[in-house]
Structure formats: structure tokens, C-alpha cells
Amino acid sequence: MQTTSLARYRAEWFDSAAGARRDILAGMVGTFALIPEVIAFSFVAGIDPEVGLFASFMIGIVLAFAGGRPAMISGAAGSVALVAAALVHSHGLQYLLAATLLAGLLQIVFGLMKLDILMRFVSRSVRTGFVNALAILIFSAQVPQMLNVTWHTYAMIAGGLAIIYLAPWVTKAVPSPLICIVVLTGISLAYPMPIHTVADLGRLPSSLPSFTWPGVPMSWDTLRIVFPYALAMAAVGLLESMMTASVVDDLTETTSNKARECTGLGLANVAAGLFGGIAGCGMIGQTVGNVRYGGRGRLSTLVAGVFLLLVMVPLRPWVAQVPVAALVAIMVMVSISTFSWGSIRDLARHPKVSGFVMLATVIVTVATHDLSAGVAVGVLLSGVFFASKVTRMMKVTDTYDEATDTRTYTISGQVFFASADIFADQFDLRDTAGKVRIDLTQSHLWDITAVGALEDVVTRLRHHGIAVDVVGLNQASAILVDRLSPTLARAG
């Protein structure tokens, strides 16, 4: 088993020379797509761009080795920045670094506790809504770069999109987004024009990240301040990373170790906090772009992190000249390819409930710009609709045997907290029969509410002088009744 795991890990790094070349080029594209979003979310969090870029570098390096989903691109962006903003504004950067360290430690604990199992409660409708909402948010994030600009910007974006979609017809040796960046940068340098460049997005780092211990008092007051933010950052970061990993699983038709991704992200965020960075998580747009252009292994994740460091420091003067229009063109392409266009057709074919859950996830996510809020609403609605459906499947029928003066209630379906009241309402507590038989052969008792409802029905019937027999309990239900209501009479 261990040998198999090691072989799989090696294959995730290098399966062929062609695969390695694709990983390297796709990772480079992912880096350029990473920069504008990290800088934008750094401003949202109220921190300098270099804090977000340093964090993205550290997160990428650590997850390349410790992550559970090859080809994922993670960085300091997403809802984590929104959570961090309030802490930065109220207490400053040093408290954010402390919260980042604590968030990483919490994520390690969550991973060791296998809490990734909670992803099983996220339905396909919610995942589709998540992907569609992200596609919309990715596109909307480019809109500010297309407002109050000259016609040159629109021409460059159009040219970039033309290169991205047409270049693969000429060659697939180099990802077309990378060709787009090189060509548009060359044009802007050869023919100066009034367009924005990466230098206009924010100050790029001029030095390498260095070890930094948060400058906060080591006290209970500090823990009281940072813990709520750390817990929120840990939960939101894991949610986005798990959802991103699920999307990559679907795109690549492979599986991932999500528990390992939890602990890996925790280690990455601890490293980010120790080197002056903010906590991060999986970035769906950049990850999808990486996968679309050939990234499949851990090498693409490593290249994205290492190349980001090269971009940040040695190549800083050149990268600063890259037109923002090139990055906008890439992200527009990613948004178009990310959106599940088939889901629009499926609205007419699939059950209305599934469509409603998907649309609700999209609407809430887009309205709040909070991925966790959209997913939470989608999961909640899925649970409510599922409980309602299961409840409707429970049936109670009764028959009366005049010879024995016995009324038999036959229950079929699932009895749990959502159906327990309906179950109890089906019994005539003032029945004139001398004996009542409750047949549970075709049903299952799931929880304390179900056992409580059964016990209440039996107690009330006996209170009216009616003899009651409970029969047909399956083994699991019988064990539950024995543990929760040992005085409840049963037979069979």
C-alpha cells in the first residue's frame, strides 16, 4: 500500500517529458493570472500588494509538496481576504499575521480529523452553481479594467482574445495565453499607447520574503481578538479549496485526497504567516486556467509559485510593462470556459428543485461576492428539499381486524426529525380498538426524535387503556430504541 502511494506521488510530479513541459508552461500562465487578482484582493483586505504576493508564493511552494490535489493553484485571494479586512482595519497587520498562523493550525487539525467528509453534503447542483457564480465573478472583476479607458485598451483585449482562441490552430506547443502576454507586451513596447500596465495595479515587491514573527502580545486577550477571525478564515479557506478540488476532479476525471489538502493548506498558511503573508485558499479561476492549458501534476503548482517569485523580484521591471489588457483577455477566456453552459439547458430537463438550488447558489454568491455564503445557502436548500422529499415518501396505513379487535398500523419509509411529527399525527389516540399493533418492518428509525415520537404514541395509547405491540424493528432501529428508550415494549 505504501509502495503504491509513493508511486502515485512520483507520478503526480513527473509522468512524461511532454507532461512536464505542459505543467511548466501552464504554471507560468497561472502565475500571470494570479497577479492581478492577488493585488486586487490585497486592496480589499487593506494590506500592501506584496503581503498578498509573498503569501501566494509560500502557499504555492508548500502545497506543491503537501497538497492533496495536483494542478491546483492557491493564493491569497477570495473570501478569506474579505474576512481578514475587518481585522486589519480594527487591529492592524500584525494581528492579521497572528490570525493567519492560527487559521493554518486549525486547518491542520480539521484535516487530521477528516472533516473533509462534510464535502459529501454538497450536491451537484450546488457545485454547478458555485462554478457558474465564479465564472460571473471572474468576468465582473475584469469590468473595472474596461471602464474609463481609451479605445486602445479595447483593441488590445480583442486582439488578446483573438490570439488565445486562434493560436491553438497554429501550435499547441505553447499555451495561447502565454503567447498573448508576450505578443501584447511586445506591441505596447514597440508602439507606446495610453493603456494600463501591471505596474499600475500596485507596488510589486523589491526583495525576497523574510521570516517574520507576528508582533503581538502573547496573551489571552490577543487570542480572544484573533480566534474568531482565524476560525472564519480557516473555514472559508477550506470550503473554497475543497470546492475547487472537486471542480478539478471533475475536469480531469481523477480523484484527490481532500483530507491531505486540508492539512496541506494549513501548513501553507502557517508558512505564509511566518513570512509576512495573509492566509489563502484554492483559486478556481487560476486553477481552471492551469488545467485548461495542460497543467495536471504538482509541477504546475510548483512552477506557479516559483515563477511568481521570479516575477516579483528579478523580472519585476519587465513584468511591470505587461499590459493589463492581456490579463483581462486571459481572465475573460477563463470565465467563459469555467461557466457550465450545459446547466442552462439542464434547467428545463432536470427537476425544478435542482435548478432552484443551482440558481440560488449563483444569485447569493454574486450578490454577496462571498463564495461561502452561496454554498451555505445551496447546501441548506438541498438539505431542506431532501428532507421534504424523504418525508413525503413515508406512509402510514391502518387496517382493522374485527375478529381480534386489533388495529394494525403499517409504517413504510424513513422516520427522522423531519417526518416524526407526521408519523405521530397518523395515529388515532382515542381508538376504540382493544389492541394496536405498530408494524415497522418496512421502515427505519434514524434519530432520537423518531424514537421519541414512537415512545410518545405508545405511551398515549396505553394511557387510554389500549394494549400496544411494536413489531418489525430492524436491528439498527432496535439498538437505537434500546439505548434511548429501554422501557418501550417491542416484539419481533
Side-chain angles (χ1 to χ4, degrees):
M1 185 68 179
Q2 187 175 5
T3 304
T4 303
S5 298
L6 289 174
R8 178 177 177 178
Y9 186 76
R10 286 196 297 268
E12 289 173 351
W13 274 103
F14 183 85
D15 61 348
S16 66
R21 178 179 57 79
R22 288 195 301 269
D23 277 348
I24 292 172
L25 294 176
M28 293 170 66
V29 172
T31 298
F32 280 103
L34 192 72
I35 292 173
E37 188 167 341
V38 170
I39 292 176
F41 276 100
S42 296
F43 284 122
V44 169
I47 56 179
D48 291 332
E50 66 180 8
V51 177
L53 291 169
F54 281 158
S56 299
F57 160 67
M58 296 303 303
I59 290 170
I61 297 297
V62 173
L63 283 178
F65 294 93
R69 173 64 262 180
M72 260 185 68
I73 304 294
S74 299
S79 300
V80 174
L82 299 176
V83 174
L87 178 60
V88 174
H89 294 156
S90 60
H91 292 88
L93 175 62
Q94 294 304 313
Y95 279 84
L96 173 62
L97 298 182
T100 296
L101 285 175
L102 183 55
L105 293 174
L106 289 173
Q107 288 170 334
I108 293 173
V109 172
F110 293 162
L112 295 176
M113 293 175 63
K114 308 293 185 181
L115 293 186
D116 59 292
I117 196 174
L118 296 176
M119 279 300 298
R120 296 179 183 178
F121 294 95
V122 180
S123 66
R124 177 174 292 274
S125 298
V126 176
R127 290 201 298 269
T128 302
F130 172 82
V131 169
N132 289 346
L134 277 171
I136 295 171
L137 289 179
I138 291 169
F139 182 84
S140 63
Q142 314 312 311
V143 173
Q145 304 296 338
M146 295 186 279
L147 299 177
N148 302 317
V149 295
T150 63
W151 65 269
H152 306 82
T153 299
Y154 296 112
M156 292 286 274
I157 293 174
L161 287 171
I163 292 172
I164 289 171
Y165 284 106
L166 296 179
W169 291 90
V170 178
T171 178
K172 294 183 179 179
V174 180
S176 59
L178 198 56
I179 298 175
C180 166
I181 291 171
V182 173
V183 171
L184 294 192
T185 302
I187 293 174
S188 66
L189 293 176
Y191 304 97
M193 58 188 78
I195 58 175
H196 294 299
T197 63
V198 169
D200 298 319
L201 296 177
R203 185 171 64 88
L204 294 175
S206 57
S207 62
L208 298 177
S210 58
F211 182 84
T212 303
W213 185 258
V216 297
M218 302 295 289
S219 65
W220 286 108
D221 286 339
T222 299
L223 181 62
R224 177 180 55 80
I225 292 171
V226 303
F227 183 78
Y229 294 98
L231 181 61
M233 291 163 66
V236 169
L238 286 179
L239 176 62
E240 292 199 35
S241 291
M242 294 300 98
M243 292 295 291
T244 301
S246 296
V247 170
V248 179
D249 289 349
D250 292 340
L251 289 175
T252 60
E253 297 182 348
T254 58
T255 59
S256 57
N257 188 332
K258 294 183 176 60
R260 181 173 179 176
E261 184 64 27
C262 290
T263 55
L265 182 62
L267 292 171
N269 282 330
V270 168
L274 291 176
F275 282 85
I278 182 178
C281 60
M283 301 175 68
I284 183 70
Q286 288 70 17
T287 297
V288 171
N290 180 47
V291 173
R292 296 289 187 198
Y293 285 93
R296 290 293 184 274
R298 295 179 180 274
L299 184 59
S300 65
T301 305
L302 180 65
V303 169
V306 172
F307 193 60
L308 179 61
L309 181 63
L310 295 176
V311 163
M312 286 193 298
V313 185
L315 300 181
R316 179 171 173 266
W318 288 272
V319 174
Q321 301 302 316
V322 173
V324 172
L327 305 180
V328 171
I330 292 174
M331 297 312 293
V332 168
M333 175 276 300
V334 169
S335 69
I336 293 173
S337 61
T338 299
F339 194 90
S340 177
W341 298 100
S343 64
I344 298 176
R345 180 188 66 250
D346 292 339
L347 286 174
R349 297 191 304 143
H350 288 178
K352 293 182 179 180
V353 168
S354 298
F356 181 79
V357 170
M358 188 271 286
L359 290 175
T361 303
V362 171
I363 292 171
V364 173
T365 301
V366 173
T368 63
H369 283 234
D370 187 341
L371 299 170
S372 61
V375 173
V377 169
V379 171
L380 179 61
L381 288 175
S382 295
V384 170
F385 290 140
F386 174 76
S388 176
K389 181 178 180 179
V390 173
T391 298
R392 291 195 302 270
M393 293 173 64
M394 190 202 71
K395 296 184 181 301
V396 178
T397 58
D398 68 278
T399 58
Y400 177 68
D401 184 355
E402 188 173 353
T404 59
D405 192 24
T406 301
R407 187 175 303 278
T408 301
Y409 289 89
T410 302
I411 295 88
S412 60
Q414 313 303 311
V415 186
F416 63 115
F417 66 89
S419 61
D421 287 343
I422 298 175
F423 162 81
D425 290 342
Q426 303 303 308
F427 292 86
D428 182 1
L429 299 179
R430 297 185 180 276
D431 201 321
T432 57
K435 184 178 180 180
V436 166
R437 187 169 182 265
I438 302 176
D439 186 356
L440 296 164
T441 305
Q442 303 177 48
S443 65
H444 185 89
L445 304 183
W446 282 100
D447 54 22
I448 188 172
T449 307
V451 174
L454 176 61
E455 183 179 36
D456 188 55
V457 166
V458 171
T459 300
R460 293 191 179 193
L461 287 171
R462 287 175 176 170
H463 179 73
H464 288 90
I466 302 173
V468 182
D469 283 336
V470 179
V471 300
L473 283 170
N474 58 34
Q475 183 177 7
S477 298
I479 292 173
L480 192 64
V481 169
D482 278 339
R483 188 168 73 247
L484 301 177
S485 182
T487 59
L488 182 63
R490 66 185 189 278

